[in-house]
Amino acid sequence: MIAALLPLAMQAAAPVVTGNGDWTVACDQQRRCTAWARVPADGEVVDYPLVLLRRDGAAAARAALDLPIPAATARGTSLTIQVDGRVMAKLVAPGGGAGLSLPFAGTLAAALEHGRSLTLVDAQGGVRARTSLVGLSAALAAIDAAQQREGTRGALVRRGRATAVPPLPPVPVVVTPPVDARPPRELSRKQSIALFGKPTKACGSALSRGYRLDAANTLLAIEPSCGTPGAVTLAYVLPDEGDPRAATFDAPASLPGAVPHQLAGNWDPTQRRIAVLLPETPGRDCGTRRAFAWDGVAFRMVEERIVAECRRATYEVTTWRAEVRTSRAPQ
């Protein structure tokens, strides 16, 4: 038995994820965009800190460049920002691995848009960090297109005279039932056998963990001992009265990629969410992460994040989000 998919009632614009050269852009359905410089194919991660360019979707939002400074750079170290060897700005390292956020505007923005390489250079001429700018111009244009700013005065490229930017779409809302303090219901032996058959010497009993979802339902996270090749965890909903059914995971139709019934993660009782990993590369802890919240009927997607790149799997960008509200308990 596998989990089915339900069409999500809330409709939302598809997120934008695109790459060109050494830069990638990701925008969520609220038109909040992040562009980041990838490590060139022939480069080392340690030499290429993660430089980000961020801009929210609101009409008045301004773009900012997040410039990390290597942790080995002592506080008070004088540095220059250079684009293709030309000094564009001077700064003093804050130390402790902290970076700086600079307005993406004026001569610095123009130089970055048309440059090939950005470097952080110390007073002795040593290069402390470098960033490829190949593809940044295309990334800026992609942000303008995603935020519907093309031809406006606030565009990052191809500016025009127009000033109006469409209002942001509403944030989808998922309403979850109130927390219930009772312990989760457990599978009976009869129900367990109906799902997986009788245990044998070659195939023992399935491992089941239960979590109370609401006043009427329990989540069962089941790890079958055999018979389901490639399965990580199977999710079932067990009502207080009745037999278990395969859990359903519901994502907006505008998002690509099916939601599997196998879960690469456990139920988080604090956040009250299930995390699903859609790996970019089999066996790697990077790719697309989706979080689902229970609404009393199905698990609805409330967040999607993508790992910027497998070589730097610690940084994630949100590409879809919903607001989660808890309904009031009946009086």
Side-chain angles (χ1 to χ4, degrees):
M1 184 183 296
I2 64 173
L5 298 180
L6 296 177
L8 197 66
M10 52 188 176
Q11 295 300 316
V16 173
V17 180
T18 184
N20 191 293
D22 294 325
W23 283 75
T24 300
V25 174
C27 304
D28 68 12
Q29 88 279 16
Q30 291 294 110
R31 304 201 291 265
R32 181 179 303 173
C33 295
T34 302
W36 63 92
R38 298 191 305 273
V39 180
D42 58 349
E44 297 295 333
V45 173
V46 67
D47 297 325
Y48 289 84
L50 184 63
V51 176
L52 304 174
L53 190 143
R54 300 175 291 104
R55 190 175 196 179
D56 284 353
R62 297 290 181 265
L65 184 75
D66 292 346
L67 188 65
I69 298 176
T73 305
R75 180 179 180 180
T77 301
S78 296
L79 300 169
T80 58
I81 300 175
Q82 299 187 15
V83 176
D84 298 339
R86 177 188 172 193
V87 176
M88 302 304 304
K90 297 181 180 180
L91 55 89
V92 176
L100 297 172
S101 184
L102 307 173
F104 187 80
T107 57
L108 175 61
L112 292 172
E113 179 185 349
H114 300 290
R116 300 286 298 179
S117 176
L118 178 150
T119 52
L120 276 179
V121 182
D122 59 29
Q124 290 71 43
V127 176
R128 297 296 182 99
R130 64 180 73 246
T131 298
S132 171
L133 299 177
V134 176
L136 175 58
S137 179
L140 299 177
I143 292 176
D144 283 344
Q147 296 186 337
Q148 302 181 42
R149 298 183 192 271
E150 295 170 302
T152 70
R153 294 178 182 177
L156 297 173
V157 295
R158 303 184 185 92
R159 298 175 185 84
R161 296 183 177 181
T163 58
V165 174
L168 297 178
V171 178
V173 176
V174 174
V175 179
T176 62
V179 176
D180 191 284
R182 291 179 300 164
R185 182 188 172 193
E186 296 182 359
L187 274 178
S188 68
R189 176 176 173 78
K190 179 180 178 180
Q191 290 171 327
S192 180
I193 291 175
L195 279 177
F196 303 108
K198 292 184 177 181
T200 64
K201 290 183 178 179
C203 186
S205 300
L207 175 63
S208 173
R209 297 184 301 277
Y211 307 93
R212 174 60 65 174
L213 288 172
D214 56 31
N217 296 284
T218 290
L219 167 66
L220 293 176
I222 300 176
E223 298 177 9
S225 57
C226 55
T228 51
V232 179
T233 304
L234 301 179
Y236 289 83
V237 174
L238 178 62
D240 282 355
E241 296 182 5
D243 293 326
R245 66 179 186 273
T248 55
F249 292 84
D250 194 4
S254 58
L255 291 171
V259 180
H261 69 290
Q262 299 144 336
L263 308 179
N266 296 321
W267 170 257
D268 183 336
T270 302
Q271 295 289 327
R272 298 185 60 76
R273 297 180 183 183
I274 278 181
V276 174
L277 172 65
L278 306 177
E280 179 178 311
T281 303
R284 296 287 298 276
D285 188 24
C286 61
T288 301
R289 303 184 194 277
R290 291 178 175 177
F292 295 80
W294 172 253
D295 74 347
V297 177
F299 289 96
R300 311 291 182 180
M301 198 178 85
V302 295
E303 185 181 51
E304 179 185 78
R305 293 176 292 157
I306 62 171
V307 174
E309 54 183 319
C310 289
R311 298 174 70 181
R312 290 193 286 215
T314 56
Y315 186 77
E316 299 179 355
V317 180
T318 300
T319 52
W320 200 90
R321 70 189 79 213
E323 179 184 349
V324 181
R325 300 176 186 169
T326 302
S327 61
R328 292 184 178 181
Q331 300 298 319

